[in-house]
Amino acid sequence: MVLRDEFHRAVEHLARASYLTVLTGAGVSKESGIPTFREAQTGLWAQYDPQELATPDAFRRNPDLVWAWYMARWNRVAGAQPNPGHRALVDLEKLVPMVTIVTQNVDGLHIRAGSRYVVELHGRLGRFKCFDNCQGDPTLIDLEKIPYGRERAPNCPYCDGKVRPDVVWFGEILPASVLQGTISAISQCDVALVVGTSGIVQPAASLPAEAKRRGATVIDVNPAPDELVAIADIYLPGPSGEVLPALVEQLKNRVGRG
Ligand code: BV8
């Protein structure tokens, strides 16, 4: 069966890998109960397009609406746990000499699962900064030290401007340190494992093709064919919470650490 062959090819590439870069999107957190970015939002948020809220202009126009959206998402993430897919990526660190996770997700679940090398392309829910970075970029703000509520964006204790989430919005450039870490992981890897991303948002969506251009084998894990299937060497259909543990199981047997 084609799938079985593809699966075993993926295990062979992982067994021979010396540097694995894992590129993850919202799909890897789906089985932790966190809806993907493109899924219809629930309740109050159903009337909004996430792409319209995740921008500096939206925050300038209506800081309290955008603030409340992030508070609701932060609240949901705080109650979520890493799932078997996150944990399988941690297990890979014992089976491949070097593993770096480059994630689009802002939920912090890879770090909470125990992954050691994680590049968070788009920042992190629960980290906050002055909208104007008045003390330097970034001017991080400890919410515990200022009065804040869930409904209204608080004021910066330094400049009295607005406090915002420390995430990368549409139209904003990714931090230089993040880009450096990403380029390093993409240029060194001999296997790029792409998990749970629709492959739409740039520049993250260009990373698998860049890894391939540099000679890496690209493996794509997604229950639905995404934009990246076309350039993937191997496509494994299925939820990451099932496919990744199965890959790790087979890899353990293959390298004799079962
Ligand atoms: C920038 C943080 C330079 C905020 C996010 C070309 C070059 C450069 C820029 C652009 C370009 N083209 C367009 C742009 C602009 C823009 C962009 O990409 N627009 C898109 C819509 C076309 N990019 C930017 O603005 C970026 N900045 O490039 O700066 C610049 C600046 C100014 C002017 C010029 C250049 C910044 C983008 C960062 C945006 N911030 N997040 C927040 O979270 O609130 S993006 C956000 O959406 C997420 O972080 C994530 O990255 C993205 C959602 O994508 P996915 O993770 O893939 O999630 P999605 O829901 O789409 O898909 C989930 C997948 O999971 C699906 O395929 C599904 O099948 C699968 N799945 C479901 N269940 C499972 C599963 N998979 C596995 N297991 C399962 N169980």
Short mmCIF file of all heavy atoms in Angstrom, two decimals, residues 24-31 35-39 50-51 53-54 69-70 73 103-106 121-123 125 167-174 195-206 221-227 238-242, ligand 1:
data_model
loop_
_atom_site.label_atom_id
_atom_site.label_comp_id
_atom_site.label_asym_id
_atom_site.label_seq_id
_atom_site.Cartn_x
_atom_site.Cartn_y
_atom_site.Cartn_z
N THR A 24 6.31 23.59 12.39
CA THR A 24 4.93 23.28 12.81
C THR A 24 4.01 24.49 12.68
O THR A 24 4.44 25.64 12.79
CB THR A 24 4.89 22.78 14.27
OG1 THR A 24 5.24 23.84 15.16
CG2 THR A 24 5.83 21.60 14.47
N GLY A 25 2.73 24.16 12.48
CA GLY A 25 1.66 25.16 12.44
C GLY A 25 0.56 24.76 13.40
O GLY A 25 0.70 23.82 14.19
N ALA A 26 -0.55 25.48 13.29
CA ALA A 26 -1.63 25.34 14.28
C ALA A 26 -2.17 23.91 14.38
O ALA A 26 -2.71 23.50 15.40
CB ALA A 26 -2.76 26.30 13.92
N GLY A 27 -2.01 23.12 13.32
CA GLY A 27 -2.55 21.76 13.33
C GLY A 27 -1.95 20.89 14.41
O GLY A 27 -2.62 19.99 14.95
N VAL A 28 -0.68 21.17 14.81
CA VAL A 28 -0.04 20.31 15.81
C VAL A 28 -0.65 20.55 17.20
O VAL A 28 -0.54 19.70 18.08
CB VAL A 28 1.49 20.54 15.81
CG1 VAL A 28 1.88 21.78 16.59
CG2 VAL A 28 2.25 19.33 16.31
N SER A 29 -1.34 21.68 17.37
CA SER A 29 -1.99 21.96 18.67
C SER A 29 -3.48 21.63 18.65
O SER A 29 -4.16 21.77 19.69
CB SER A 29 -1.79 23.44 19.03
OG SER A 29 -0.41 23.71 19.25
N LYS A 30 -3.97 21.20 17.49
CA LYS A 30 -5.42 20.91 17.39
C LYS A 30 -5.83 19.87 18.42
O LYS A 30 -6.87 19.99 19.08
CB LYS A 30 -5.72 20.42 15.96
CG LYS A 30 -7.17 20.06 15.68
CD LYS A 30 -7.97 21.27 15.27
CE LYS A 30 -9.39 20.88 14.91
NZ LYS A 30 -9.47 20.11 13.66
N GLU A 31 -4.99 18.83 18.59
CA GLU A 31 -5.37 17.74 19.51
C GLU A 31 -5.10 18.11 20.97
O GLU A 31 -5.27 17.29 21.86
CB GLU A 31 -4.66 16.44 19.10
CG GLU A 31 -5.23 15.89 17.79
CD GLU A 31 -4.23 15.15 16.96
OE1 GLU A 31 -3.48 15.82 16.21
OE2 GLU A 31 -4.18 13.93 17.02
N PRO A 35 -8.22 25.45 18.59
CA PRO A 35 -8.65 25.47 17.19
C PRO A 35 -7.57 26.09 16.31
O PRO A 35 -6.83 26.96 16.75
CB PRO A 35 -9.90 26.34 17.20
CG PRO A 35 -9.88 27.08 18.48
CD PRO A 35 -9.04 26.30 19.44
N THR A 36 -7.48 25.59 15.05
CA THR A 36 -6.46 26.16 14.16
C THR A 36 -6.87 27.58 13.79
O THR A 36 -8.02 27.99 13.98
CB THR A 36 -6.34 25.32 12.87
OG1 THR A 36 -7.55 25.47 12.15
CG2 THR A 36 -6.06 23.87 13.20
N PHE A 37 -5.89 28.29 13.26
CA PHE A 37 -6.08 29.73 13.04
C PHE A 37 -7.22 30.01 12.07
O PHE A 37 -7.97 30.95 12.21
CB PHE A 37 -4.78 30.32 12.48
CG PHE A 37 -4.65 31.79 12.71
CD1 PHE A 37 -4.27 32.27 13.94
CD2 PHE A 37 -4.93 32.69 11.68
CE1 PHE A 37 -4.14 33.64 14.16
CE2 PHE A 37 -4.82 34.05 11.90
CZ PHE A 37 -4.42 34.53 13.14
N ARG A 38 -7.34 29.12 11.09
CA ARG A 38 -8.31 29.38 10.02
C ARG A 38 -9.71 28.84 10.33
O ARG A 38 -10.64 29.15 9.66
CB ARG A 38 -7.80 28.76 8.71
CG ARG A 38 -7.58 29.80 7.62
CD ARG A 38 -6.56 29.34 6.63
NE ARG A 38 -5.23 29.53 7.18
CZ ARG A 38 -4.63 30.72 7.19
NH1 ARG A 38 -5.23 31.77 6.72
NH2 ARG A 38 -3.42 30.86 7.69
N GLU A 39 -9.81 28.05 11.41
CA GLU A 39 -11.14 27.50 11.73
C GLU A 39 -12.06 28.60 12.20
O GLU A 39 -11.64 29.56 12.79
CB GLU A 39 -11.00 26.45 12.84
CG GLU A 39 -10.72 25.06 12.30
CD GLU A 39 -10.38 24.09 13.43
OE1 GLU A 39 -10.08 24.56 14.54
OE2 GLU A 39 -10.42 22.90 13.19
N PRO A 50 -9.78 36.25 11.90
CA PRO A 50 -8.55 36.41 12.69
C PRO A 50 -7.53 37.31 11.99
O PRO A 50 -6.83 38.10 12.61
CB PRO A 50 -8.01 34.99 12.84
CG PRO A 50 -9.15 34.10 12.54
CD PRO A 50 -10.10 34.83 11.66
N GLN A 51 -7.50 37.17 10.66
CA GLN A 51 -6.50 37.96 9.94
C GLN A 51 -6.78 39.46 10.07
O GLN A 51 -5.89 40.28 9.95
CB GLN A 51 -6.52 37.58 8.46
CG GLN A 51 -5.15 37.10 7.99
CD GLN A 51 -5.31 36.23 6.80
OE1 GLN A 51 -5.43 35.01 6.93
NE2 GLN A 51 -5.34 36.86 5.66
N LEU A 53 -8.03 40.79 12.83
CA LEU A 53 -7.76 41.21 14.22
C LEU A 53 -6.26 41.23 14.50
O LEU A 53 -5.79 42.04 15.30
CB LEU A 53 -8.44 40.25 15.21
CG LEU A 53 -9.96 40.33 15.31
CD1 LEU A 53 -10.49 39.22 16.23
CD2 LEU A 53 -10.41 41.69 15.83
N ALA A 54 -5.51 40.34 13.83
CA ALA A 54 -4.08 40.19 14.13
C ALA A 54 -3.26 41.18 13.32
O ALA A 54 -2.37 40.80 12.54
CB ALA A 54 -3.64 38.75 13.85
N TRP A 69 -9.60 39.75 22.60
CA TRP A 69 -9.43 38.54 21.78
C TRP A 69 -8.22 37.75 22.23
O TRP A 69 -8.24 36.54 22.43
CB TRP A 69 -9.31 38.92 20.31
CG TRP A 69 -9.15 37.76 19.37
CD1 TRP A 69 -9.94 36.63 19.31
CD2 TRP A 69 -8.18 37.62 18.33
NE1 TRP A 69 -9.48 35.80 18.30
CE2 TRP A 69 -8.41 36.39 17.68
CE3 TRP A 69 -7.13 38.42 17.86
CZ2 TRP A 69 -7.64 35.94 16.60
CZ3 TRP A 69 -6.35 37.98 16.79
CH2 TRP A 69 -6.61 36.75 16.18
N TYR A 70 -7.11 38.50 22.51
CA TYR A 70 -5.90 37.81 22.95
C TYR A 70 -6.03 37.26 24.36
O TYR A 70 -5.54 36.17 24.67
CB TYR A 70 -4.67 38.74 22.79
CG TYR A 70 -4.18 38.75 21.38
CD1 TYR A 70 -4.61 39.71 20.47
CD2 TYR A 70 -3.34 37.73 20.92
CE1 TYR A 70 -4.20 39.68 19.15
CE2 TYR A 70 -2.93 37.69 19.60
CZ TYR A 70 -3.36 38.66 18.71
OH TYR A 70 -2.97 38.60 17.40
N ARG A 73 -7.86 34.02 24.01
CA ARG A 73 -6.99 32.97 23.44
C ARG A 73 -5.95 32.51 24.47
O ARG A 73 -5.63 31.32 24.60
CB ARG A 73 -6.32 33.47 22.17
CG ARG A 73 -7.26 33.62 21.00
CD ARG A 73 -6.58 34.24 19.81
NE ARG A 73 -5.45 33.44 19.33
CZ ARG A 73 -4.51 33.90 18.50
NH1 ARG A 73 -4.54 35.16 18.09
NH2 ARG A 73 -3.53 33.13 18.10
N THR A 103 8.38 26.96 14.97
CA THR A 103 6.92 26.92 15.02
C THR A 103 6.28 28.26 14.70
O THR A 103 6.83 29.31 15.04
CB THR A 103 6.41 26.42 16.39
OG1 THR A 103 4.99 26.24 16.32
CG2 THR A 103 6.76 27.40 17.50
N GLN A 104 5.13 28.20 14.03
CA GLN A 104 4.33 29.39 13.79
C GLN A 104 3.41 29.65 14.98
O GLN A 104 2.79 30.70 15.08
CB GLN A 104 3.46 29.22 12.54
CG GLN A 104 4.22 28.99 11.27
CD GLN A 104 3.29 28.68 10.11
OE1 GLN A 104 2.59 29.54 9.60
NE2 GLN A 104 3.28 27.44 9.68
N ASN A 105 3.31 28.67 15.87
CA ASN A 105 2.33 28.74 16.94
C ASN A 105 2.79 29.67 18.05
O ASN A 105 3.99 29.81 18.30
CB ASN A 105 2.05 27.34 17.50
CG ASN A 105 1.52 26.41 16.42
OD1 ASN A 105 0.98 26.87 15.41
ND2 ASN A 105 1.69 25.12 16.60
N VAL A 106 1.84 30.28 18.69
CA VAL A 106 2.12 31.24 19.78
C VAL A 106 1.67 30.68 21.13
O VAL A 106 1.62 31.40 22.11
CB VAL A 106 1.42 32.59 19.48
CG1 VAL A 106 2.02 33.24 18.25
CG2 VAL A 106 -0.10 32.43 19.33
N LEU A 121 8.43 31.63 15.65
CA LEU A 121 8.45 32.63 14.57
C LEU A 121 7.56 33.83 14.87
O LEU A 121 7.90 34.97 14.55
CB LEU A 121 7.93 32.00 13.26
CG LEU A 121 8.80 30.97 12.58
CD1 LEU A 121 8.04 30.34 11.43
CD2 LEU A 121 10.10 31.58 12.09
N HIS A 122 6.38 33.57 15.47
CA HIS A 122 5.37 34.62 15.60
C HIS A 122 5.13 35.07 17.03
O HIS A 122 4.11 35.67 17.31
CB HIS A 122 4.04 34.12 14.97
CG HIS A 122 4.18 33.83 13.51
ND1 HIS A 122 3.39 32.91 12.86
CD2 HIS A 122 5.03 34.32 12.57
CE1 HIS A 122 3.73 32.86 11.59
NE2 HIS A 122 4.73 33.71 11.38
N GLY A 123 6.09 34.81 17.92
CA GLY A 123 5.98 35.29 19.30
C GLY A 123 5.20 34.34 20.18
O GLY A 123 5.06 33.15 19.88
N LEU A 125 1.77 34.00 23.08
CA LEU A 125 0.67 34.51 23.93
C LEU A 125 1.18 34.54 25.37
O LEU A 125 1.95 33.67 25.77
CB LEU A 125 -0.53 33.54 23.85
CG LEU A 125 -1.31 33.50 22.54
CD1 LEU A 125 -2.36 32.39 22.61
CD2 LEU A 125 -1.94 34.83 22.22
N VAL A 167 3.32 39.32 19.99
CA VAL A 167 3.21 38.39 18.86
C VAL A 167 3.49 39.17 17.57
O VAL A 167 3.42 40.42 17.58
CB VAL A 167 1.80 37.74 18.77
CG1 VAL A 167 1.53 36.87 19.99
CG2 VAL A 167 0.72 38.80 18.57
N VAL A 168 3.80 38.48 16.48
CA VAL A 168 4.04 39.15 15.20
C VAL A 168 2.72 39.25 14.45
O VAL A 168 2.11 38.21 14.12
CB VAL A 168 5.06 38.37 14.35
CG1 VAL A 168 5.30 39.07 13.01
CG2 VAL A 168 6.38 38.20 15.10
N TRP A 169 2.28 40.45 14.18
CA TRP A 169 1.01 40.64 13.46
C TRP A 169 1.24 40.64 11.95
O TRP A 169 2.38 40.81 11.48
CB TRP A 169 0.37 41.95 13.93
CG TRP A 169 -0.39 41.80 15.24
CD1 TRP A 169 -1.00 40.66 15.70
CD2 TRP A 169 -0.60 42.80 16.22
NE1 TRP A 169 -1.57 40.92 16.94
CE2 TRP A 169 -1.37 42.23 17.27
CE3 TRP A 169 -0.27 44.16 16.34
CZ2 TRP A 169 -1.76 42.94 18.41
CZ3 TRP A 169 -0.66 44.86 17.47
CH2 TRP A 169 -1.40 44.25 18.49
N PHE A 170 0.18 40.45 11.20
CA PHE A 170 0.26 40.57 9.74
C PHE A 170 0.73 41.98 9.40
O PHE A 170 0.27 42.96 9.98
CB PHE A 170 -1.10 40.26 9.10
CG PHE A 170 -1.46 38.81 9.18
CD1 PHE A 170 -2.34 38.36 10.16
CD2 PHE A 170 -0.89 37.88 8.31
CE1 PHE A 170 -2.65 37.01 10.27
CE2 PHE A 170 -1.21 36.53 8.41
CZ PHE A 170 -2.09 36.09 9.40
N GLY A 171 1.71 42.04 8.50
CA GLY A 171 2.27 43.34 8.12
C GLY A 171 3.47 43.72 8.97
O GLY A 171 4.14 44.71 8.69
N GLU A 172 3.79 42.90 9.98
CA GLU A 172 4.97 43.18 10.82
C GLU A 172 6.12 42.23 10.45
O GLU A 172 5.89 41.08 10.09
CB GLU A 172 4.63 43.02 12.31
CG GLU A 172 3.62 44.07 12.79
CD GLU A 172 3.40 44.03 14.30
OE1 GLU A 172 3.36 42.91 14.87
OE2 GLU A 172 3.29 45.10 14.91
N ILE A 173 7.32 42.75 10.59
CA ILE A 173 8.51 41.96 10.25
C ILE A 173 8.86 41.06 11.43
O ILE A 173 8.72 41.45 12.58
CB ILE A 173 9.67 42.93 9.92
CG1 ILE A 173 9.31 43.74 8.65
CG2 ILE A 173 10.99 42.18 9.74
CD1 ILE A 173 10.29 44.81 8.29
N LEU A 174 9.29 39.82 11.13
CA LEU A 174 9.69 38.90 12.21
C LEU A 174 10.98 39.43 12.85
O LEU A 174 11.82 40.00 12.13
CB LEU A 174 9.91 37.49 11.66
CG LEU A 174 8.66 36.61 11.45
CD1 LEU A 174 7.67 37.20 10.49
CD2 LEU A 174 9.06 35.20 11.02
N VAL A 195 4.67 19.93 9.87
CA VAL A 195 3.53 19.32 10.58
C VAL A 195 2.45 20.36 10.84
O VAL A 195 2.68 21.39 11.46
CB VAL A 195 3.98 18.75 11.95
CG1 VAL A 195 2.84 17.97 12.60
CG2 VAL A 195 5.20 17.85 11.80
N GLY A 196 1.23 20.09 10.33
CA GLY A 196 0.04 20.85 10.72
C GLY A 196 0.02 22.30 10.30
O GLY A 196 -0.35 23.17 11.08
N THR A 197 0.46 22.57 9.06
CA THR A 197 0.35 23.95 8.58
C THR A 197 -0.27 23.97 7.20
O THR A 197 -0.02 23.10 6.38
CB THR A 197 1.70 24.68 8.56
OG1 THR A 197 1.52 26.00 8.06
CG2 THR A 197 2.75 23.95 7.74
N SER A 198 -1.09 24.99 6.97
CA SER A 198 -1.74 25.11 5.66
C SER A 198 -0.76 25.67 4.63
O SER A 198 -1.03 25.67 3.44
CB SER A 198 -2.95 26.05 5.77
OG SER A 198 -2.50 27.33 6.25
N GLY A 199 0.38 26.13 5.08
CA GLY A 199 1.40 26.63 4.14
C GLY A 199 0.97 27.90 3.42
O GLY A 199 1.28 28.10 2.25
N ILE A 200 0.25 28.76 4.14
CA ILE A 200 -0.25 29.99 3.51
C ILE A 200 0.53 31.22 3.99
O ILE A 200 0.90 32.10 3.22
CB ILE A 200 -1.75 30.17 3.82
CG1 ILE A 200 -2.57 29.07 3.13
CG2 ILE A 200 -2.26 31.55 3.43
CD1 ILE A 200 -4.02 29.01 3.55
N VAL A 201 0.79 31.27 5.30
CA VAL A 201 1.38 32.49 5.86
C VAL A 201 2.88 32.56 5.58
O VAL A 201 3.62 31.62 5.84
CB VAL A 201 1.09 32.55 7.38
CG1 VAL A 201 1.86 33.67 8.04
CG2 VAL A 201 -0.41 32.72 7.60
N GLN A 202 3.29 33.71 5.07
CA GLN A 202 4.69 33.96 4.77
C GLN A 202 5.34 34.74 5.92
O GLN A 202 4.63 35.44 6.64
CB GLN A 202 4.79 34.79 3.48
CG GLN A 202 4.26 34.07 2.26
CD GLN A 202 5.14 32.91 1.81
OE1 GLN A 202 6.20 32.65 2.39
NE2 GLN A 202 4.72 32.21 0.78
N PRO A 203 6.66 34.67 6.11
CA PRO A 203 7.60 33.87 5.31
C PRO A 203 7.67 32.39 5.73
O PRO A 203 8.39 31.62 5.09
CB PRO A 203 8.93 34.57 5.58
CG PRO A 203 8.79 35.16 6.93
CD PRO A 203 7.35 35.52 7.07
N ALA A 204 6.91 31.96 6.74
CA ALA A 204 6.97 30.56 7.22
C ALA A 204 6.71 29.59 6.07
O ALA A 204 7.38 28.55 5.95
CB ALA A 204 5.96 30.35 8.34
N ALA A 205 5.76 29.94 5.20
CA ALA A 205 5.35 28.99 4.15
C ALA A 205 6.46 28.71 3.15
O ALA A 205 6.43 27.72 2.44
CB ALA A 205 4.11 29.55 3.43
N SER A 206 7.46 29.60 3.09
CA SER A 206 8.55 29.40 2.11
C SER A 206 9.67 28.53 2.66
O SER A 206 10.58 28.13 1.93
CB SER A 206 9.14 30.76 1.71
OG SER A 206 8.11 31.57 1.19
N VAL A 221 3.25 16.27 7.19
CA VAL A 221 2.22 15.54 7.95
C VAL A 221 1.01 16.44 8.12
O VAL A 221 1.10 17.54 8.70
CB VAL A 221 2.75 15.13 9.35
CG1 VAL A 221 1.64 14.46 10.17
CG2 VAL A 221 3.96 14.21 9.22
N ASN A 222 -0.13 16.02 7.56
CA ASN A 222 -1.34 16.85 7.61
C ASN A 222 -2.53 15.96 7.23
O ASN A 222 -2.42 15.23 6.24
CB ASN A 222 -1.19 18.01 6.61
CG ASN A 222 -2.22 19.10 6.83
OD1 ASN A 222 -3.36 18.83 7.19
ND2 ASN A 222 -1.82 20.35 6.62
N PRO A 223 -3.66 16.03 7.98
CA PRO A 223 -4.79 15.18 7.57
C PRO A 223 -5.36 15.60 6.22
O PRO A 223 -5.98 14.81 5.52
CB PRO A 223 -5.83 15.38 8.68
CG PRO A 223 -5.38 16.55 9.45
CD PRO A 223 -3.94 16.74 9.20
N ALA A 224 -5.13 16.88 5.85
CA ALA A 224 -5.64 17.35 4.55
C ALA A 224 -4.46 17.85 3.72
O ALA A 224 -3.56 18.50 4.25
CB ALA A 224 -6.62 18.50 4.78
N PRO A 225 -4.45 17.55 2.42
CA PRO A 225 -3.33 18.05 1.59
C PRO A 225 -3.26 19.57 1.69
O PRO A 225 -4.26 20.26 1.55
CB PRO A 225 -3.74 17.61 0.17
CG PRO A 225 -4.76 16.55 0.34
CD PRO A 225 -5.45 16.83 1.64
N ASP A 226 -2.10 20.09 2.03
CA ASP A 226 -1.94 21.54 2.18
C ASP A 226 -1.14 22.08 0.99
O ASP A 226 -0.77 21.35 0.09
CB ASP A 226 -1.22 21.82 3.51
CG ASP A 226 0.04 20.97 3.63
OD1 ASP A 226 0.84 20.97 2.67
OD2 ASP A 226 0.21 20.26 4.63
N GLU A 227 -0.81 23.35 1.07
CA GLU A 227 -0.08 24.01 -0.03
C GLU A 227 1.30 23.40 -0.23
O GLU A 227 1.95 23.62 -1.24
CB GLU A 227 0.08 25.51 0.29
CG GLU A 227 -1.22 26.26 0.48
CD GLU A 227 -1.86 26.60 -0.86
OE1 GLU A 227 -1.12 26.94 -1.78
OE2 GLU A 227 -3.10 26.46 -0.96
N GLY A 238 -2.78 12.41 7.90
CA GLY A 238 -3.25 11.97 9.21
C GLY A 238 -2.98 13.03 10.26
O GLY A 238 -2.18 13.95 10.05
N PRO A 239 -3.66 12.89 11.41
CA PRO A 239 -3.46 13.85 12.50
C PRO A 239 -2.08 13.67 13.14
O PRO A 239 -1.61 12.52 13.31
CB PRO A 239 -4.58 13.55 13.47
CG PRO A 239 -5.04 12.18 13.16
CD PRO A 239 -4.69 11.90 11.72
N SER A 240 -1.44 14.77 13.50
CA SER A 240 -0.07 14.68 14.03
C SER A 240 -0.02 13.88 15.34
O SER A 240 0.96 13.20 15.61
CB SER A 240 0.50 16.08 14.27
OG SER A 240 -0.44 16.89 14.95
N GLY A 241 -1.12 13.92 16.10
CA GLY A 241 -1.14 13.20 17.39
C GLY A 241 -1.10 11.69 17.20
O GLY A 241 -0.79 10.95 18.12
N GLU A 242 -1.37 11.24 15.96
CA GLU A 242 -1.27 9.79 15.66
C GLU A 242 -0.03 9.51 14.81
O GLU A 242 0.73 8.58 15.08
CB GLU A 242 -2.53 9.33 14.91
CG GLU A 242 -3.78 9.31 15.78
CD GLU A 242 -5.04 9.07 14.94
OE1 GLU A 242 -4.94 8.49 13.84
OE2 GLU A 242 -6.12 9.54 15.36
C1 BV8 B 1 6.11 39.67 7.05
C2 BV8 B 1 0.66 35.54 15.31
C3 BV8 B 1 7.70 41.19 6.15
C4 BV8 B 1 -0.54 36.38 15.65
C5 BV8 B 1 0.50 35.06 12.91
C6 BV8 B 1 5.20 37.32 1.02
C7 BV8 B 1 6.35 37.68 1.70
C8 BV8 B 1 6.29 38.39 2.89
C9 BV8 B 1 5.05 38.71 3.43
C10 BV8 B 1 3.91 38.35 2.77
C11 BV8 B 1 3.98 37.66 1.57
N1 BV8 B 1 2.73 37.45 1.14
C12 BV8 B 1 1.87 37.97 2.04
C13 BV8 B 1 2.55 38.52 3.03
C14 BV8 B 1 1.97 39.18 4.19
C15 BV8 B 1 1.60 38.22 5.31
C16 BV8 B 1 0.99 36.93 4.86
O1 BV8 B 1 1.64 35.88 4.85
N2 BV8 B 1 -0.27 36.95 4.49
C17 BV8 B 1 -0.93 35.71 4.09
C18 BV8 B 1 -2.33 35.70 4.65
C19 BV8 B 1 -0.85 35.58 2.60
N3 BV8 B 1 2.77 37.93 6.13
C20 BV8 B 1 3.13 38.80 7.09
O2 BV8 B 1 2.60 39.86 7.26
C21 BV8 B 1 4.31 38.39 7.97
N4 BV8 B 1 5.24 39.48 8.02
O3 BV8 B 1 6.15 38.99 6.08
O4 BV8 B 1 6.97 40.76 7.26
C22 BV8 B 1 6.92 42.31 5.55
C23 BV8 B 1 6.32 43.24 6.37
C24 BV8 B 1 5.64 44.33 5.78
C25 BV8 B 1 5.56 44.42 4.41
C26 BV8 B 1 6.16 43.43 3.60
C27 BV8 B 1 6.85 42.38 4.18
C28 BV8 B 1 3.89 38.11 9.38
C29 BV8 B 1 2.96 36.95 9.44
C30 BV8 B 1 2.71 36.53 10.91
C31 BV8 B 1 1.24 36.68 11.24
N5 BV8 B 1 1.00 36.22 12.60
N6 BV8 B 1 0.35 34.65 14.20
C32 BV8 B 1 -1.67 35.57 16.22
O5 BV8 B 1 -1.57 34.33 16.31
O6 BV8 B 1 -2.68 36.19 16.60
S1 BV8 B 1 0.07 34.00 11.68
C33 BV8 B 1 -1.05 32.86 12.28
O7 BV8 B 1 -1.68 32.31 11.15
C34 BV8 B 1 -0.42 31.68 12.95
O8 BV8 B 1 0.66 32.01 13.74
C35 BV8 B 1 -0.02 30.80 11.81
O9 BV8 B 1 1.24 31.16 11.34
C36 BV8 B 1 -1.00 31.19 10.75
C37 BV8 B 1 -1.99 30.09 10.56
O10 BV8 B 1 -1.37 29.20 9.76
P1 BV8 B 1 -1.31 27.66 10.20
O11 BV8 B 1 -0.49 27.52 11.42
O12 BV8 B 1 -0.91 26.91 9.01
O13 BV8 B 1 -2.78 27.31 10.62
P2 BV8 B 1 -3.96 27.07 9.63
O14 BV8 B 1 -5.19 27.20 10.43
O15 BV8 B 1 -3.79 27.92 8.42
O16 BV8 B 1 -3.75 25.55 9.14
C38 BV8 B 1 -3.81 24.52 10.08
C39 BV8 B 1 -3.43 23.26 9.33
O17 BV8 B 1 -3.47 22.19 10.27
C40 BV8 B 1 -4.38 22.89 8.20
O18 BV8 B 1 -3.63 22.59 7.04
C41 BV8 B 1 -5.08 21.63 8.70
O19 BV8 B 1 -5.35 20.71 7.67
C42 BV8 B 1 -4.05 21.08 9.64
N7 BV8 B 1 -4.57 20.23 10.72
C43 BV8 B 1 -5.81 20.22 11.26
N8 BV8 B 1 -5.87 19.28 12.25
C44 BV8 B 1 -4.64 18.71 12.31
C45 BV8 B 1 -3.81 19.31 11.35
N9 BV8 B 1 -2.53 18.94 11.16
C46 BV8 B 1 -2.05 17.96 11.93
N10 BV8 B 1 -2.78 17.33 12.89
C47 BV8 B 1 -4.06 17.67 13.10
N11 BV8 B 1 -4.78 17.05 14.06
#
